Amino acid sequence: MEIKMSDEMLSAVVPVIVYWVFSGIYELLGIYFVNHRLHPKGEENEKNAVSKLEVIKGVLTQQALQITILYLVTKVRVDDEKRGVPKPQPSLPVIALQWFIGMIVVDTVQYFGHRYLHANKFLYKHVHSTHHALVVPYVYGALYGHPLEGLFLDIIGSALAFLFSGMTPRTSIYFFSFSTIKGLDLHCALYFPWNPLQAFFPNNCAFHYTHHQIKGHKYNYAQPFFISWDKILGTYKEFTVEKREGGGFRVSLAKNQ
């Protein structure tokens, strides 16, 4: 029996599948490439305030909500514009421009929303501190957080990127899959200088690792693509990546800046 899924449904479901597939890949890399870890093996179990089982439950809950909302957003817009007839794919230059716009929208929502969650003590305590229970980040904890944070920053941010960029549901499948992989790479805590996601994007796992450090909470809010807003608004903090005694790397915030 052949099962057919619309582009609208695929744009909501495929990134979730990508999330867990690439989480598994990064987990395997962490086993075999110990000398590329940003923290010693097992440290996430010692320092984090939430179990990995709870993290998995929290991520699955958010993804269920994500699938529902993103499917409805893409479905409603397509039905409104084309009465259910799939919108034709634009040229590659137009798609590239739509991707760039989508990246800017996602980064803007993430930066200002993320920064406000830190600035507002009530929201930090009752909402954003959930994500920072992961003092030592790991890959499949990328989406772990309070449901309200997931709704407003991740889900609504993605929906706005889709709407403002004008991308088709087919294009959004690839865009949201790439965005998912980029978010996973930020939290993977595996430093690979040859990794294109880390070599070509200054917003990489080392950059985001600084923010998860206790002293880094006031800096480096940007995610998942660029660091422009941090640079423009003065919240960027320099850091170093050095070889750690015993293997792996250590990320340290600059003492003076």
Side-chain angles (χ1 to χ4, degrees), residues 1-235:
M1 181 179 177
E2 184 179 0
I3 299 176
K4 292 184 179 181
M5 297 181 70
S6 66
D7 286 352
E8 295 81 40
M9 180 57 75
L10 286 172
S11 69
V13 172
V14 170
V16 173
I17 297 173
V18 167
Y19 186 96
W20 292 107
V21 170
F22 275 81
S23 289
I25 292 173
Y26 275 111
E27 282 289 300
L28 288 174
L29 289 174
I31 294 173
Y32 293 104
F33 292 90
V34 178
N35 287 332
H36 289 270
R37 297 175 66 97
L38 294 179
H39 57 261
K41 191 173 181 180
E43 193 172 76
E44 65 270 22
N45 295 323
E46 300 171 4
K47 294 187 176 182
N48 290 340
V50 62
S51 71
K52 291 184 175 179
L53 180 59
E54 287 301 312
V55 168
I56 292 173
K57 290 179 180 177
V59 171
L60 289 174
T61 298
Q62 177 169 327
Q63 287 176 330
L65 185 62
Q66 172 183 314
I67 289 173
T68 302
I69 293 178
L70 292 182
Y71 170 74
L72 291 175
V73 169
T74 54
K75 183 67 175 175
V76 168
R77 200 193 75 175
V78 168
D79 286 345
D80 182 57
E81 290 182 351
K82 294 293 183 179
R83 298 181 181 178
V85 178
K87 186 177 181 179
Q89 286 292 98
S91 64
L92 286 178
V94 172
I95 290 176
L97 177 61
Q98 291 173 339
W99 270 52
F100 184 64
I101 293 172
M103 293 164 80
I104 292 175
V105 173
V106 169
D107 268 20
T108 300
V109 172
Q110 286 285 339
Y111 176 84
F112 287 98
H114 186 193
R115 184 174 177 178
Y116 186 69
L117 287 174
H118 276 274
N120 187 299
K121 293 182 179 180
F122 177 85
L123 289 178
Y124 180 82
K125 178 179 180 180
H126 297 283
V127 178
H128 191 52
S129 62
T130 302
H131 182 67
H132 277 281
L134 300 179
V135 178
V136 179
Y138 51 86
V139 62
Y140 57 87
L143 276 182
Y144 178 70
H146 193 283
L148 286 178
E149 178 178 350
L151 174 63
F152 285 102
L153 292 194
D154 298 313
I155 299 174
I156 292 181
S158 296
L160 289 174
F162 172 74
L163 294 172
F164 278 101
S165 67
M167 66 180 70
T168 65
R170 176 62 58 88
T171 299
S172 73
I173 296 172
Y174 300 103
F175 176 78
F176 291 134
S177 294
F178 175 68
S179 179
T180 296
I181 295 170
K182 189 67 180 65
L184 290 172
D185 190 74
L186 286 186
H187 292 83
C188 72
L190 290 171
Y191 186 64
F192 295 112
W194 45 262
N195 179 346
L197 296 177
Q198 298 178 21
F200 295 111
F201 287 92
N203 198 326
N204 55 34
C205 65
F207 170 84
H208 192 64
Y209 200 88
T210 64
H211 180 74
H212 274 264
Q213 296 177 9
I214 300 301
K215 294 181 179 179
H217 284 194
K218 295 181 180 180
Y219 308 100
N220 300 351
Y221 298 106
Q223 56 181 342
F225 300 111
F226 310 113
I227 61 173
S228 306
W229 286 117
D230 276 312
K231 289 277 192 177
I232 293 170
L233 297 177
T235 53

